[in-house]
mmCIF file of all heavy atoms in Angstrom:
data_model
loop_
_atom_site.group_PDB
_atom_site.id
_atom_site.type_symbol
_atom_site.label_atom_id
_atom_site.label_comp_id
_atom_site.label_asym_id
_atom_site.label_seq_id
_atom_site.Cartn_x
_atom_site.Cartn_y
_atom_site.Cartn_z
ATOM 1 N N PHE E 80 -3.124 -15.045 -13.628
ATOM 2 C CA PHE E 80 -2.839 -16.164 -12.683
ATOM 3 C C PHE E 80 -2.458 -17.402 -13.547
ATOM 4 O O PHE E 80 -3.305 -17.847 -14.349
ATOM 5 C CB PHE E 80 -4.061 -16.438 -11.824
ATOM 6 C CG PHE E 80 -3.737 -17.411 -10.739
ATOM 7 C CD1 PHE E 80 -3.195 -17.005 -9.538
ATOM 8 C CD2 PHE E 80 -4.016 -18.778 -10.866
ATOM 9 C CE1 PHE E 80 -2.939 -17.923 -8.554
ATOM 10 C CE2 PHE E 80 -3.800 -19.660 -9.917
ATOM 11 C CZ PHE E 80 -3.207 -19.257 -8.726
ATOM 12 N N LYS E 81 -1.226 -17.802 -13.439
ATOM 13 C CA LYS E 81 -0.754 -18.933 -14.209
ATOM 14 C C LYS E 81 -0.545 -20.061 -13.172
ATOM 15 O O LYS E 81 0.109 -19.883 -12.164
ATOM 16 C CB LYS E 81 0.570 -18.723 -14.923
ATOM 17 C CG LYS E 81 0.407 -17.707 -16.012
ATOM 18 C CD LYS E 81 1.772 -17.459 -16.723
ATOM 19 C CE LYS E 81 1.699 -16.442 -17.768
ATOM 20 N NZ LYS E 81 2.981 -16.239 -18.435
ATOM 21 N N ASP E 82 -1.023 -21.253 -13.494
ATOM 22 C CA ASP E 82 -0.877 -22.457 -12.641
ATOM 23 C C ASP E 82 -0.396 -23.579 -13.561
ATOM 24 O O ASP E 82 -1.131 -24.047 -14.455
ATOM 25 C CB ASP E 82 -2.209 -22.851 -11.982
ATOM 26 C CG ASP E 82 -2.136 -23.926 -10.984
ATOM 27 O OD1 ASP E 82 -0.989 -24.460 -10.745
ATOM 28 O OD2 ASP E 82 -3.140 -24.163 -10.375
ATOM 29 N N TYR E 83 0.783 -24.037 -13.295
ATOM 30 C CA TYR E 83 1.403 -25.101 -14.126
ATOM 31 C C TYR E 83 1.724 -26.262 -13.177
ATOM 32 O O TYR E 83 2.240 -26.080 -12.171
ATOM 33 C CB TYR E 83 2.710 -24.567 -14.727
ATOM 34 C CG TYR E 83 3.598 -25.644 -15.351
ATOM 35 C CD1 TYR E 83 3.266 -26.164 -16.599
ATOM 36 C CD2 TYR E 83 4.622 -26.082 -14.677
ATOM 37 C CE1 TYR E 83 4.110 -27.149 -17.157
ATOM 38 C CE2 TYR E 83 5.491 -27.097 -15.177
ATOM 39 C CZ TYR E 83 5.203 -27.624 -16.444
ATOM 40 O OH TYR E 83 5.967 -28.567 -16.932
ATOM 41 N N GLY E 84 1.344 -27.433 -13.668
ATOM 42 C CA GLY E 84 1.691 -28.620 -12.922
ATOM 43 C C GLY E 84 2.016 -29.726 -13.837
ATOM 44 O O GLY E 84 1.562 -29.810 -14.985
ATOM 45 N N ALA E 85 3.018 -30.560 -13.436
ATOM 46 C CA ALA E 85 3.464 -31.675 -14.316
ATOM 47 C C ALA E 85 3.833 -32.828 -13.398
ATOM 48 O O ALA E 85 4.287 -32.615 -12.311
ATOM 49 C CB ALA E 85 4.643 -31.215 -15.172
ATOM 50 N N GLN E 86 3.681 -34.020 -13.904
ATOM 51 C CA GLN E 86 4.241 -35.163 -13.197
ATOM 52 C C GLN E 86 4.697 -36.175 -14.294
ATOM 53 O O GLN E 86 4.204 -36.134 -15.390
ATOM 54 C CB GLN E 86 3.144 -35.803 -12.260
ATOM 55 C CG GLN E 86 1.955 -36.406 -12.968
ATOM 56 C CD GLN E 86 0.959 -37.010 -12.018
ATOM 57 O OE1 GLN E 86 0.575 -36.214 -11.087
ATOM 58 N NE2 GLN E 86 0.552 -38.149 -12.192
ATOM 59 N N GLY E 87 5.614 -36.970 -13.855
ATOM 60 C CA GLY E 87 6.166 -37.932 -14.838
ATOM 61 C C GLY E 87 7.129 -38.873 -14.172
ATOM 62 O O GLY E 87 7.196 -38.996 -12.938
ATOM 63 N N GLU E 88 7.916 -39.466 -14.979
ATOM 64 C CA GLU E 88 8.907 -40.422 -14.525
ATOM 65 C C GLU E 88 10.223 -40.092 -15.254
ATOM 66 O O GLU E 88 10.212 -39.961 -16.476
ATOM 67 C CB GLU E 88 8.475 -41.837 -14.782
ATOM 68 C CG GLU E 88 9.341 -42.844 -14.177
ATOM 69 C CD GLU E 88 8.818 -44.318 -14.363
ATOM 70 O OE1 GLU E 88 7.558 -44.477 -14.270
ATOM 71 O OE2 GLU E 88 9.672 -45.185 -14.557
ATOM 72 N N ALA E 89 11.280 -40.112 -14.496
ATOM 73 C CA ALA E 89 12.633 -39.923 -15.094
ATOM 74 C C ALA E 89 13.647 -40.856 -14.404
ATOM 75 O O ALA E 89 13.640 -40.879 -13.127
ATOM 76 C CB ALA E 89 13.067 -38.491 -14.970
ATOM 77 N N GLU E 90 14.333 -41.603 -15.173
ATOM 78 C CA GLU E 90 15.285 -42.547 -14.649
ATOM 79 C C GLU E 90 14.744 -43.471 -13.561
ATOM 80 O O GLU E 90 15.294 -43.707 -12.497
ATOM 81 C CB GLU E 90 16.536 -41.773 -14.034
ATOM 82 C CG GLU E 90 17.306 -40.920 -15.136
ATOM 83 C CD GLU E 90 18.407 -40.149 -14.501
ATOM 84 O OE1 GLU E 90 18.847 -40.412 -13.365
ATOM 85 O OE2 GLU E 90 18.934 -39.311 -15.327
ATOM 86 N N GLY E 91 13.483 -43.862 -13.826
ATOM 87 C CA GLY E 91 12.853 -44.841 -12.941
ATOM 88 C C GLY E 91 12.189 -44.216 -11.708
ATOM 89 O O GLY E 91 11.662 -45.008 -10.886
ATOM 90 N N ALA E 92 12.291 -42.987 -11.501
ATOM 91 C CA ALA E 92 11.679 -42.300 -10.326
ATOM 92 C C ALA E 92 10.560 -41.358 -10.794
ATOM 93 O O ALA E 92 10.756 -40.597 -11.827
ATOM 94 C CB ALA E 92 12.763 -41.558 -9.600
ATOM 95 N N GLU E 93 9.498 -41.357 -10.037
ATOM 96 C CA GLU E 93 8.429 -40.385 -10.377
ATOM 97 C C GLU E 93 8.787 -38.984 -9.841
ATOM 98 O O GLU E 93 9.437 -38.865 -8.848
ATOM 99 C CB GLU E 93 7.104 -40.877 -9.707
ATOM 100 C CG GLU E 93 6.543 -42.173 -10.309
ATOM 101 C CD GLU E 93 5.202 -42.479 -9.755
ATOM 102 O OE1 GLU E 93 4.550 -41.596 -9.115
ATOM 103 O OE2 GLU E 93 4.762 -43.634 -9.955
#
Side-chain angles (χ1 to χ4, degrees):
F80 186 83
K81 294 181 183 180
D82 188 355
Y83 167 81
Q86 66 183 50
E88 187 176 322
E90 298 178 10
E93 290 187 17

